[in-house]
Structure formats: structure tokens, C-alpha cells
Amino acid sequence: MCEACWELIAKADDDEFLDSLELTYVERKLLEELYKQGEDRIMEILELQGQALQDAIAELSEESLGDIGELGKVLIALHATDVFSDMFETAVQEAFEPLFNLAGESELLQLDKEKVWTTKNKAAKKFVKEIRSLVPDMNQSSTDTLLRSFEKAIEEGNTPSERALLVQEISAQAAGGEDGPFSMQRAQRISRTMSTAAANGGKLEGWKQSEIAKGKKWRSAVGTRTRKTHRRANGQIVALDKPFKVGSSKLMYPGDTAGDPEEIINCRCTMQLVLD
């Protein structure tokens, strides 16, 4: 899919999701800015990872470039490095923790204007810790995708030189292509997953702090791209402190990192408040 087409779809998804939060104009603009900030920061990190991969590939011998085991070591080292882990942690704290707080405060004020939301609450810090757990799963998916591509290149190369050249070409394409582990599409996917978790997690905390909310109702994103398990969850009502049953996962809110990756990656579902 072309980058422009992907961005149009992403914009439509974001608009629908933001509409569901019932924010003021100022709050919405701030939320949109946080979305963009998170996406840009993650894109920057992925670009650095892509360049680091190319640099590491360039240093390998022709023999190592034909060895899937050696290539696997490079990818694991790349994704496990503290440098990139720290960058993702910073991105979460700078873009997605404020988003959590904004969504939570907005919900709380709508329910009780006398209640005071604090950005120092333990829930926000707990959320940051939980959302960071998404990064290893996403990096593992990235590693698996690249390894499959490298395996295919090695199988197609008739000589060591051909295999090495094909692996180098795949590395370069992955770092700068329209699709793949270091692309804008992946940055948007990661950002959308984290923003869904942040906004819904914040909403739930705001409802809890109001002390008048009784339950929550799952609201699935519309459209043919909504996964079947999420469409089936649409309308499901549970108590505020109980999880939704979505596929084989139990989720406290859409995007809950406690769920299986297939139920939270790229999710755009939200929740509605139940007062009685």
C-alpha cells in the first residue's frame, strides 16, 4: 500500500477514535499533537534501528551473510540493545503518559468537577511500565519477519556472493522501504497501539477516581478491518473492575497490554461508561 494511502486510513482511524472520547476542542488538539509526537518519535527510533542493522550487515563477512544463525544474532543484538530500549521508554514517557493523563482527567471532570486528577498518581506510572512490555513483543515480530526474508534470500542465492548480495539488498530495503520493520507503517502501527492503550487506560482510571462509575461497555471500531473477535465483543458490558473477554484474552480495556498481541496490536476500539 502506498504511504499516502496508509496515512489516509490512519487519519480516518484516529478521527473516529478521538470522536469517541468526547473531548473539548483544546483537549482534542492536544491529544492529536501527542499522537503525532509519539508517531514521530517512534519513526525516528525505527530509522536509527534500520541504519544500525545496515551497518552491522556491512561488517559481516560473506560467509556470515549466508549463515542464518549469524544473521539472527545480529538482529537479536540490535533489538535487545539498551540504547533502543531506553529510547522507547523515553518515547512512552514523553508522549503516551501525558495522553493517559489527559484522557483520564477529561473523563473525571465530566463526571465530577470537584474531583482533582493528579499526574503523579500510581496508575499512570503503572501504565508506563505495562506499555513498555509491548516493545519486546513488537521487536520479536520484527526479528521473525526479517529472518524469514533472509532465509529466502539464502535459499535463492546460488553462490556465497549471490547470497550475501541478496541479504544486503533485503537489509537496505527493510531500512528504507514502504513496508517492513523500520517503515512509517510500522511506526504508525506501534504508535496507534500505544495510543489506544493510553487513552483507554486513562479513561478507565478517570472512571475509577470518580467513584460513581459502575461498569464499562466495549465499543468496537467500525469498518471491515475490525477483527472478528473485536466485533463480537461490541456491546459487552462488565463491571468496572472486571475484564472484557475478547477472543482468548481478558482485557481491562481495549489495548490492555495484558492481552495477546493479536488482540491489541493496531486496535482502535474504545469503551463507554456504565453508571448503573
Side-chain angles (χ1 to χ4, degrees):
M1 182 183 296
C2 70
E3 186 171 313
C5 296
W6 180 266
E7 289 179 350
L8 285 173
I9 291 174
K11 180 65 167 60
D13 283 346
D14 288 345
D15 285 343
E16 180 193 351
F17 184 66
L18 290 168
D19 287 345
S20 74
L21 299 179
E22 300 179 356
L23 302 166
T24 66
Y25 176 81
V26 173
E27 287 172 336
R28 176 164 180 144
K29 287 301 179 185
L30 179 55
L31 208 58
E32 288 174 341
E33 180 58 33
L34 289 171
Y35 271 31
K36 187 65 168 60
Q37 179 181 326
E39 184 179 292
D40 289 347
R41 186 70 181 115
I42 289 171
M43 187 66 245
E44 179 184 340
I45 296 169
L46 295 183
E47 287 176 349
L48 291 172
Q49 282 187 316
Q51 185 58 55
L53 174 63
Q54 284 189 278
D55 292 344
I57 291 291
E59 293 179 0
L60 292 178
S61 66
E62 187 176 273
E63 180 181 0
S64 293
L65 287 171
D67 185 334
I68 196 64
E70 289 298 314
L71 292 170
K73 290 178 183 177
V74 169
L75 288 171
I76 291 172
L78 170 67
H79 283 142
T81 179
D82 289 341
V83 173
F84 292 116
S85 295
D86 291 345
M87 286 182 177
F88 272 112
E89 180 174 344
T90 300
V92 169
Q93 290 175 329
E94 291 181 350
F96 301 107
E97 184 178 358
L99 196 158
F100 176 97
N101 285 315
L102 177 61
E105 182 177 21
S106 174
E107 293 295 323
L108 179 61
L109 289 175
Q110 286 188 48
L111 292 172
D112 188 342
K113 295 187 183 300
E114 300 300 318
K115 295 280 187 179
V116 178
W117 174 274
T118 170
T119 57
K120 296 181 180 179
N121 70 79
K122 293 180 180 179
K125 303 304 179 187
K126 182 173 181 287
F127 164 76
V128 170
K129 183 177 180 180
E130 289 175 348
I131 204 172
R132 286 204 309 265
S133 70
L134 285 174
V135 177
D137 288 339
M138 290 177 173
N139 280 341
Q140 183 59 53
S141 175
S142 171
T143 296
D144 293 343
T145 299
L146 275 172
L147 282 177
R148 285 195 296 271
S149 298
F150 286 153
E151 283 178 327
K152 183 178 180 182
I154 291 171
E155 290 172 359
E156 291 178 351
N158 295 319
T159 67
S161 295
E162 287 178 341
R163 290 193 288 271
L165 181 61
L166 287 171
V167 166
Q168 289 169 335
E169 288 176 349
I170 287 173
S171 173
Q173 184 178 9
E178 288 187 353
D179 195 8
F182 309 112
S183 66
M184 173 59 79
Q185 289 188 20
R186 183 163 184 255
Q188 290 173 330
R189 188 175 299 119
I190 293 173
S191 181
R192 182 167 299 112
T193 299
M194 290 183 173
S195 62
T196 296
N200 282 309
K203 285 178 70 171
L204 180 57
E205 179 59 22
W207 294 345
K208 288 180 179 178
Q209 290 188 28
S210 76
E211 299 181 326
I212 62 172
K214 302 299 182 183
K216 55 198 176 185
K217 181 178 181 180
W218 187 284
R219 176 181 169 185
S220 298
V222 299
T224 58
R225 292 181 297 112
T226 299
R227 64 205 85 185
K228 292 180 180 178
T229 51
H230 290 204
R231 287 202 298 268
R232 285 196 289 267
N234 190 47
Q236 186 180 150
I237 298 175
V238 297
L240 208 61
D241 61 347
K242 300 296 182 182
F244 295 102
K245 186 69 166 57
V246 185
S248 60
S249 293
K250 292 182 178 180
L251 309 178
M252 290 301 293
Y253 51 85
D256 184 0
T257 58
D260 296 329
E262 60 265 26
E263 299 297 355
I264 61 176
I265 301 298
N266 223 30
C267 174
R268 299 307 286 159
C269 298
T270 186
M271 303 178 295
Q272 290 178 319
L273 174 67
V274 177
L275 290 173
D276 49 34

